[in-house]
Amino acid sequence: MKRFKLFVLITLITLGLFTSCNQDDIDENSVLSSSEFDSQVSPREEGDFKYTVLGKKKEIPCSVENMASAYESLLRNPTAKRHPSGNYSINKTHLYVKFKPQDSIQNDKILNDTILAVSDEPFEYEVVNKGSVYLDPEATDTTLTFYYSVVSKDHQISGEIPHEILKDLHFTAEDAIGETPTDNEEQILDFYEGLNTEALKISDNLEEDEKKNHTYFISDPEERLTYDDIKRLGLKVRDVQINYDLEIDEVENGDQGRLFGRKWRPSGTITVQEDAIDQSVGVMGARVRVRKWGWLVIRKAPTNRTGYFETSRTRTKRVKYACYFKHDPYFVVKAGTTFWNARDRSHSTHTRRSWRRHYSSGRNQFYAFIQNGAYDYYTRVIYDYNLSHPGFFKKIVGKMWYNTSSHALSNLASAFAFYNVRITIGSGGSYRGSDGIYATTVHELTHLGHRNMDSGMFSIFHSGSNNRKLLTESWAEGVETIVTNDRYDDLINNYQSSQNGGGRWNSFRQRQTEMNMNQYTPIVDDLIDNLNQNTTNFARPVDRVENYTLNRIQSALDNCRDIECWENKLNNNRPAGVTTAELNELFDYVRAVRNNAANW
């Protein structure tokens, strides 16, 4: 494994020359104060720690052994409801599996299996510190961890991936009973209620409020002890019996004391604070999983553009939620490394309650910004602007780095790095801001779309071409500029970017002279807007061109390898009112920047 990593490292160093990089997406003068910088990485809210820290290991309530014990206990309880058949088999319905991937291929296969729906955290532990990832202490690798799944006993688990069956599990099938149960089905539901309550009780997994909802006895059902009585007697709930005859009536009291009842829809809203505009927006297109008792995935749903999600109905009242920053089949956001999916897993039990999460700082906020940028690009931007599609199943790694650039890898480099795009939270030591993270995501996905349209443009045999660098980076910078400004103009009136000096996003590029420019020229913005920056400063380029669209510019860029080709194709498809002389005049500064490439 170590030799494999060394090979990958050497290969990536070599291939680093062949990647498309967003060298500096933020004005070089835009730097946060030290106090603002520190606040971006301090663990100020739950979930901002990098690694989850586990605490006490709890008994597994749904294990076959525990469920069998619960059934025997139920049969000894004179107040318990019986199954209408007179007998019930505690057989294996699911498996609790621990996967131990040995390489990136096995790791991806596990993570991409929607049936396995793996978690990097085991399910039977309390959590001391909630983090964005969990590294199993038994894992010998610092990048590859173990994964856990609750899967049907009939699922064919691939033998090529090392795994261990930790427990055989038994789950009752209350959701198989329809909305209007028959009398016989009502009896089955009552039995399921008692069996599951007993399983949680004897494994010491009942919540405090659930313990308070029951009436207890030691030997005689007439004792009618409360939870407070049990505590005063120095007993534990697991050591006494529940009086099921006195359970709260479902119809009259809203079934608040029951584990199951009338069906409901798990739902919620997941939002993120856009610091650039001080506004809360929805986390769009994320995938939410709902687990029965935090174990079995029983429902799934995506968030909409406002961050709201709603699943199909279930009888299970007691659930735990998790949000994954991904949107199949387009992309998945990775938590700092390609081996972890970015996610926010709730460790609180929600009893017939919705889940509301708001990310105002930290890692989850960062991942939510990337999620919104990528989802918006895939589902709106490429259609509104008619841009080339970036492709499917892209891995976007979010790095909490402030001094390293973001980049989109070439196809060859992606094969060795195991990801397609890297987005850093900062650049040049400064935090990008929420609009900067959105803009960077747009920029790098534009590279992928360009490559899909014209793979020859990114040939490794021409990686040193100044023509190609300028064309690829100026194009991505232009899409970033137009799309980011349009998006934030829709969100807020009089949008002022988080870049130094405010104004439009990337407006500083049009304040540059050609001698101060690099491959990230504002040529795309100049082709579209009606601003002539030369009128305010004669040292800036002359721009008398306007009214091109991103799609028209992209069409001209296709199969071009140098600036002259791009200009000629733009000239052949000019908007009304634009002359050849004006276009040539505008491209003069682009040629000058290319010829001054030594200053890059």
Side-chain angles (χ1 to χ4, degrees):
M1 186 66 186
K2 289 182 179 178
R3 282 181 293 179
F4 176 73
K5 285 183 178 179
L6 180 60
F7 168 74
V8 170
L9 179 61
I10 295 172
T11 305
L12 285 178
I13 291 173
T14 305
L15 293 176
L17 297 173
F18 310 141
T19 63
S20 299
C21 295
N22 193 352
Q23 185 180 41
D24 188 7
D25 294 323
I26 293 186
D27 186 343
E28 59 194 19
N29 296 317
S30 175
V31 180
L32 293 175
S33 69
S34 59
S35 61
E36 290 174 313
F37 181 90
D38 292 339
S39 72
Q40 297 301 326
V41 293
S42 63
R44 296 191 302 164
E45 68 168 358
E46 183 184 3
D48 196 26
F49 295 95
K50 180 175 182 180
Y51 292 110
T52 294
V53 179
L54 301 181
K56 176 185 174 182
K57 182 177 182 180
K58 305 184 73 174
E59 291 187 39
I60 300 176
C62 46
S63 70
V64 167
E65 296 91 336
N66 190 70
M67 293 295 283
S69 296
Y71 184 48
E72 293 298 322
S73 178
L74 210 62
L75 293 177
R76 293 192 297 269
N77 188 325
T79 70
K81 305 298 186 290
R82 302 295 191 260
H83 194 278
S85 68
N87 190 28
Y88 183 76
S89 297
I90 305 295
N91 50 15
K92 173 176 60 179
T93 62
H94 292 76
L95 303 172
Y96 182 26
V97 189
K98 180 178 184 178
F99 291 95
K100 304 175 181 180
Q102 302 300 298
D103 54 41
S104 64
I105 296 174
Q106 293 184 0
N107 192 82
D108 284 353
K109 188 169 184 178
I110 292 170
L111 290 179
N112 293 333
D113 192 320
T114 56
I115 296 176
L116 292 178
V118 296
S119 167
D120 60 349
E121 296 177 8
F123 303 121
E124 70 271 33
Y125 286 85
E126 294 179 347
V127 173
V128 176
N129 284 331
K130 178 182 173 184
S132 61
V133 295
Y134 172 69
L135 180 62
D136 196 302
E138 294 182 7
T140 57
D141 198 295
T142 57
T143 55
L144 286 170
T145 190
F146 300 149
Y147 289 94
Y148 302 83
S149 174
V150 174
V151 65
S152 169
K153 67 179 179 62
D154 298 322
H155 181 68
Q156 295 298 313
I157 301 174
S158 174
E160 66 185 82
I161 303 175
H163 63 274
E164 174 186 359
I165 307 299
L166 299 179
K167 281 290 181 183
D168 292 339
L169 307 178
H170 178 86
F171 287 100
T172 53
E174 56 279 350
D175 276 338
I177 297 176
E179 295 278 1
T180 55
T182 64
D183 290 344
N184 188 69
E185 289 173 333
E186 286 283 11
Q187 293 180 50
I188 295 174
L189 285 174
D190 287 340
F191 169 75
Y192 286 163
E193 177 72 30
L195 178 61
N196 284 279
T197 301
E198 203 71 13
L200 292 171
K201 187 199 79 171
I202 66 175
S203 62
D204 198 22
N205 277 284
L206 280 174
E207 301 281 340
E208 284 297 298
D209 61 336
E210 292 170 338
K211 294 176 182 178
K212 293 176 182 178
N213 282 327
H214 298 297
T215 301
Y216 305 92
F217 65 95
I218 299 173
S219 57
D220 183 357
E222 295 299 321
E223 292 170 339
R224 300 193 179 188
L225 303 173
T226 66
Y227 178 46
D228 288 337
D229 293 333
I230 297 300
K231 289 192 293 185
R232 280 194 294 269
L233 291 171
L235 300 173
K236 294 184 180 295
V237 166
R238 66 191 302 173
D239 300 323
V240 297
Q241 300 199 69
I242 294 174
N243 192 325
Y244 290 102
D245 281 338
L246 300 178
E247 288 295 270
I248 299 172
D249 183 81
E250 177 181 349
V251 176
E252 294 182 359
N253 297 283
D255 74 1
Q256 65 264 34
R258 299 171 66 90
L259 294 174
F260 310 115
R262 65 188 185 278
K263 290 192 173 184
W264 68 294
R265 294 182 186 275
S267 62
T269 305
I270 303 175
T271 55
V272 62
Q273 192 69 21
E274 283 262 12
D275 48 64
I277 56 176
D278 193 25
Q279 182 174 313
S280 175
V281 301
V283 177
M284 305 183 293
R287 297 293 183 176
V288 177
R289 295 176 185 168
V290 182
R291 293 184 185 267
K292 177 181 179 179
W293 305 353
W295 285 82
L296 177 66
V297 175
I298 56 173
R299 296 293 182 268
K300 299 178 183 178
T303 58
N304 64 17
R305 297 191 78 86
T306 67
Y308 178 76
F309 69 90
E310 183 178 271
T311 76
S312 57
R313 300 168 72 82
T314 178
R315 289 188 184 278
T316 300
K317 288 175 55 180
R318 183 177 167 187
V319 300
K320 291 185 178 181
Y321 296 91
C323 172
Y324 286 79
F325 300 103
K326 60 185 297 188
H327 193 79
D328 299 326
Y330 302 124
F331 68 89
V332 57
V333 181
K334 295 289 187 173
T337 169
T338 186
F339 298 108
W340 273 285
N341 286 351
R343 52 91 180 125
D344 175 27
R345 181 183 169 201
S346 169
H347 294 92
S348 300
T349 299
H350 292 71
T351 305
R352 200 188 283 278
R353 286 188 294 113
S354 60
W355 191 41
R356 303 189 184 280
R357 291 291 284 158
H358 179 67
Y359 309 125
S360 58
S361 66
R363 297 176 187 276
N364 285 331
Q365 184 191 43
F366 175 42
Y367 300 144
F369 290 154
I370 298 175
Q371 170 76 27
N372 278 354
Y375 179 80
D376 197 40
Y377 196 91
Y378 271 98
T379 62
R380 184 188 67 83
V381 170
I382 60 176
Y383 301 105
D384 284 1
Y385 300 92
N386 200 8
L387 300 179
S388 177
H389 197 285
F392 299 95
F393 304 107
K394 299 304 181 185
K395 301 174 189 175
I396 306 175
V397 176
K399 301 290 284 188
M400 296 287 284
W401 292 349
Y402 290 81
N403 292 289
T404 305
S405 65
S406 300
H407 61 212
L409 292 179
S410 69
N411 290 334
L412 182 58
S414 293
F416 288 95
F418 315 120
Y419 66 90
N420 305 96
V421 171
R422 182 180 73 195
I423 306 294
T424 59
I425 197 171
S427 177
S430 64
Y431 170 57
R432 293 187 189 277
S434 59
D435 52 355
I437 295 168
Y438 176 89
T440 303
T441 304
V442 168
H443 182 110
E444 305 306 343
L445 290 176
T446 300
H447 280 314
L448 298 186
H450 190 180
R451 185 178 298 119
N452 272 357
M453 177 183 70
D454 180 12
S455 60
M457 182 65 168
F458 296 84
S459 168
I460 62 174
F461 300 107
H462 302 281
S463 60
S465 167
N466 292 330
N467 265 305
R468 297 191 184 210
K469 287 181 182 179
L470 195 146
L471 264 62
T472 56
E473 294 302 344
S474 290
W475 166 240
E477 193 77 358
V479 174
E480 165 196 324
T481 300
I482 301 302
V483 168
T484 301
N485 283 302
D486 286 352
R487 191 239 183 176
Y488 283 92
D489 283 341
D490 287 342
L491 287 176
I492 191 172
N493 292 328
N494 193 28
Y495 161 62
Q496 299 289 306
S497 78
S498 63
Q499 291 176 322
N500 189 42
R504 297 175 71 251
W505 181 260
N506 274 345
S507 60
F508 76 94
R509 297 212 179 273
Q510 290 184 316
R511 297 194 297 267
Q512 293 177 314
T513 64
E514 61 188 40
M515 290 300 297
N516 292 324
M517 290 183 191
N518 52 27
Q519 64 264 45
Y520 301 91
T521 71
I523 181 61
V524 172
D525 203 11
D526 289 338
L527 289 165
I528 295 172
D529 67 17
N530 59 4
L531 170 69
N532 183 357
Q533 52 263 42
N534 180 263
T535 59
T536 58
N537 187 327
F538 294 143
R540 297 172 185 166
V542 177
D543 175 12
R544 307 179 201 273
V545 178
E546 59 185 62
N547 293 331
Y548 278 90
T549 65
L550 286 178
N551 176 253
R552 186 176 290 197
I553 299 169
Q554 177 183 254
S555 297
L557 184 64
D558 191 12
N559 280 316
C560 277
R561 302 292 183 266
D562 56 54
I563 295 166
E564 286 71 25
C565 170
W566 194 18
E567 180 186 354
N568 288 337
K569 290 175 71 173
L570 286 167
N571 186 51
N572 292 335
N573 189 19
R574 299 191 310 273
V578 175
T579 68
T580 299
E582 290 170 339
L583 190 63
N584 184 261
E585 177 184 55
L586 179 63
F587 264 83
D588 280 344
Y589 90 80
V590 182
R591 279 183 281 272
V593 172
R594 176 193 60 189
N595 297 335
N596 288 327
N599 296 328
W600 298 358

